[in-house]
Amino acid sequence: MTYERGDITYQTDIPLKDMVYYTVRQEITIGKISFGCELLETKLARQYNVSRTPVRNALQRLDEEGFIAKVSGNYVASFPLLEDIDELSDIYDAIEGFLLKYTISNISSDELEELSRLSGQINQLLSKNVTVFSNYSPLCRKIHYILWTSSRQPQMIRQIKMLPDTWVLSCLLNLFDPKVRLTSIRQHPGIVEAAAQRNLPLLLKRCQEHSQLSRVACKTAYTLLKKTTQFGT
């Protein structure tokens, strides 16, 4: 059974917090709620004719999944549109390429040792056929972080960290082809190897291949996400 309430058509067998969640999620992914738009509990509660509690629960879930983020104490939509992904990826590639030029000359032996340790942990997990991706994610992120910070370019590091990191959002990662995710993970030891050799052309090539794979996987997952209905089926 369905009924109208505010701006939502409700189904009586679905909790209010889930209805609000799916409605806001859909409006974000189709661009009705635009990137950077502020989401206020009181305004949404009035719009959907519900109390603030289901709105608060929905916003917390959207925050955890990366659709929104807190800025100066308020939630804003932080999920770019599909057509923005290529542009954001190009910016990411350009900044990372700039940083890596300095990484090659500035990276320390301690940082290279840490990269080698992280790479070894990834290879060990792969050799055991571990397919729980959450075991790899911290290792992969740390590799990228060390490559960036070892450039000794704090202003550009801040810039790349400010970009919407769409390819690590759980709402997208859950839709990635597992084979693609494993391929992406397997690329990290090769990236570390190029850094250890201080081979800039090879490092740039491998990082660009990695970024391109992430870009395509992200766009595919985004398309799948947009095809889900308002009620998550």
Side-chain angles (χ1 to χ4, degrees), residues 172-191:
L172 290 179
L173 284 175
N174 291 336
L175 296 172
F176 275 25
D177 183 332
K179 292 182 180 178
V180 173
R181 291 189 70 176
L182 277 174
T183 299
S184 176
I185 290 164
R186 290 192 183 102
Q187 289 176 329
H188 288 84
I191 291 171

Side-chain angles (χ1 to χ4, degrees), residues 150-163:
S150 59
S151 69
R152 315 291 187 251
Q153 300 292 320
Q155 290 184 333
M156 297 306 289
I157 293 167
R158 282 196 294 272
Q159 292 299 316
I160 199 169
K161 289 172 69 176
M162 287 172 62
L163 290 173

Side-chain angles (χ1 to χ4, degrees), residues 115 118-119 122-123 126 136-137 139-144 147 181-195 203 206 210 214:
L115 285 175
L118 294 167
S119 177
I122 289 174
N123 282 328
L126 289 170
Y136 296 98
S137 296
L139 303 174
C140 295
R141 284 198 292 268
K142 188 69 181 294
I143 285 173
H144 287 284
L147 289 172
R181 291 189 70 176
L182 277 174
T183 299
S184 176
I185 290 164
R186 290 192 183 102
Q187 289 176 329
H188 288 84
I191 291 171
V192 170
E193 179 185 43
L203 180 58
R206 290 180 175 175
H210 178 64
S214 297

Side-chain angles (χ1 to χ4, degrees), residues 8-170:
I8 304 180
T9 300
Y10 287 94
Q11 292 186 197
T12 54
D13 59 339
I14 298 179
L16 281 178
K17 65 178 181 179
D18 292 338
M19 295 296 300
V20 174
Y21 162 80
Y22 286 122
T23 299
V24 176
R25 191 188 82 168
Q26 184 185 51
E27 291 184 352
I28 290 173
T29 56
I30 66 175
K32 187 175 180 180
I33 296 177
S34 60
F35 182 79
C37 180
E38 194 171 56
L39 297 162
L40 301 176
E41 279 185 22
T42 51
K43 182 178 179 180
L44 290 173
R46 286 196 302 269
Q47 180 180 342
Y48 299 142
N49 193 23
V50 297
S51 70
R52 292 176 60 179
T53 299
V55 173
R56 184 179 304 116
N57 291 334
L59 292 178
Q60 288 173 347
R61 182 176 173 186
L62 290 162
D63 182 24
E64 291 169 359
E65 294 182 352
F67 288 99
I68 63 177
K70 270 199 171 181
V71 177
S72 301
N74 292 322
Y75 285 118
V76 298
S78 59
F79 202 69
L81 295 175
L82 176 61
E83 53 266 31
D84 295 331
I85 291 177
D86 278 329
E87 185 175 355
L88 289 167
S89 297
D90 287 341
I91 295 170
Y92 176 94
D93 291 345
I95 298 176
E96 185 173 64
F98 175 86
L99 293 174
L100 293 177
K101 289 190 299 183
Y102 291 93
T103 293
I104 288 297
S105 56
N106 293 334
I107 193 166
S108 69
S109 57
D110 287 344
E111 287 166 328
L112 286 172
E113 185 176 337
E114 178 63 9
L115 285 175
S116 178
R117 185 186 68 81
L118 294 167
S119 177
Q121 287 183 308
I122 289 174
N123 282 328
Q124 187 176 29
L125 290 170
L126 289 170
S127 68
K128 294 179 179 178
N129 295 315
V130 175
T131 56
V132 179
F133 295 113
S134 58
N135 289 321
Y136 296 98
S137 296
L139 303 174
C140 295
R141 284 198 292 268
K142 188 69 181 294
I143 285 173
H144 287 284
Y145 182 75
I146 292 174
L147 289 172
W148 297 344
T149 56
S150 59
S151 69
R152 315 291 187 251
Q153 300 292 320
Q155 290 184 333
M156 297 306 289
I157 293 167
R158 282 196 294 272
Q159 292 299 316
I160 199 169
K161 289 172 69 176
M162 287 172 62
L163 290 173
D165 203 356
T166 49
W167 42 87
V168 299
L169 296 178
S170 61

